[in-house]
Amino acid sequence: MDGDPAVEPELDTFSLILPLPYRIAVIFVLGVWAWGVNLHYLSILKIDAATLVKYHARNASSILPHYRRTYRLAAAVTVPLAFSILLFWVITHGQPSLVLAWDILPQSLLFLLAIFFLLPFQRLSRTGRYRFLSTLKRVSVGGLAEADNGKFGDILLADVLTSYAKVLGDLFVSGCMFLSPGLSSTGKPNRNCGGAYMVPLIISIPSMIRLRQCLIEFLRVRNNPNTSASTGWGGQHLANALKYSSAFPVIVLSALQRGTDPKSIGMSEAGLFRLWLFFVFLNSFYSFYWDVAKDWDLTLFAPSSVRNNPDHPWALRRHTHFHTREMYYGAILIDLMLRCTWSFKLSPHLDHFNDLEGSIFIMEFLEVLRRWLWIFFRVETEWGKLTHELPEAAESANVTAVRTNRGPPAEDMLLEDMMESPMSPTFPK
């Protein structure tokens, strides 16, 4: 509720303008645009993402930069989204009764978008969407390809799913309300639809997927007879698994705060909140540390002798691809801020922040924005490892490109077709 007396109690002004199904669609479509921007800028930096995800070759009748195909796909799903929203506004005029009555319109849009991606029979980026679906199918059960068969792509997609956890929960809520008698999916979201613990369970699935992938990596290291001192005993994979495990107490305690009397579990309301705060703090800062130190391979948390090494800028690393060191420092700061958006709950002036639908949408958008930023540096880090730690692999890819005189055979990049020749990266000082 936003205090507007002209609005029915079950709807705030934001929900009248952008009901829950449309918010879900907007977040997903923005994700496609963001992926295109990721691929576009990485190609400018001469980072060959196709090599990282180990896609196989295929023939193509036309050659377009991979990011352009992603933009085309994004535009193809943006047009019906924009048309549906405009039509909804024209029909409802912001009247609560009409907004509740016309939930079929935004719900149909979600259904059509699902068909577009899950049944990629259309010509537009068809092969890319098949590739995306096959990867999604594998990671959905916690699977993980081998290192030479696209493991990095599996990890990248599974990490993206963790940022869409709350959106997936809202997707279930929207469908549940649409199918429930007496409820409308454009009404005030009932996040207890389907049971008090159904939404928390769905939100936890992406973290479960990454947890299982980390355990698979650990077992592969332990069962590898060629394990050496340089590869370690797999402890880093266990530490990564612990990071994803730290999300479960946060999800469970958040659900208890909303739907359970603390006295029924032998705790006070303040005690339950403090316990939630402890695990939120642990998850947020552990994840921030992992983003910077492990995923981006920066030296901010390394010993001072490494952090102050004259071979690289302070707290960074020797080999970098982005044009200025300020981009890395800015990314660290933004990642820290967005990892701590939970702090809005702590202000007495913002105690209802997370109960407003507009605020929830902003939180979900900020998390997708954080993941978009994270992908740039995560892919750049992996490319740096390939070209500097495994120079023979990079050389092999470049030799193939030279021999064909047109780059590697065209291939798809999850949601698009990869059709750009790899080039040797530059490493600005």
Side-chain angles (χ1 to χ4, degrees), residues 14 18 22-24 26-27 30 170 191 356-367:
F14 182 76
L18 204 63
Y22 282 135
R23 300 200 293 268
I24 297 168
V26 167
I27 291 291
L30 284 176
D170 280 349
R191 292 185 170 83
L356 299 176
E357 291 303 315
S359 304
I360 294 174
F361 175 76
I362 291 174
M363 300 282 278
E364 292 173 347
F365 171 79
L366 289 177
E367 174 55 23

Side-chain angles (χ1 to χ4, degrees), residues 259-280:
T260 304
D261 182 2
K263 294 180 181 178
S264 65
I265 57 175
M267 296 187 66
S268 65
E269 185 175 347
L272 185 61
F273 175 78
R274 284 194 292 267
L275 187 61
W276 169 86
L277 184 60
F278 169 78
F279 281 107
V280 165

Side-chain angles (χ1 to χ4, degrees), residues 186-207:
T186 51
K188 181 178 180 180
N190 177 13
R191 292 185 170 83
N192 287 326
C193 191
Y197 300 105
M198 192 62 192
V199 172
L201 176 62
I202 292 174
I203 290 176
S204 66
I205 288 176
S207 294

Side-chain angles (χ1 to χ4, degrees), residues 80-114:
L81 171 62
F83 177 79
S84 181
I85 292 177
L86 290 175
L87 181 61
F88 184 81
W89 289 346
V90 169
I91 293 175
T92 63
H93 297 290
Q95 297 180 22
S97 59
L98 293 176
V99 169
L100 295 173
W102 279 90
D103 62 336
I104 185 64
L105 190 57
Q107 207 65 38
S108 297
L109 174 71
L110 285 181
F111 180 71
L112 291 175
L113 290 178

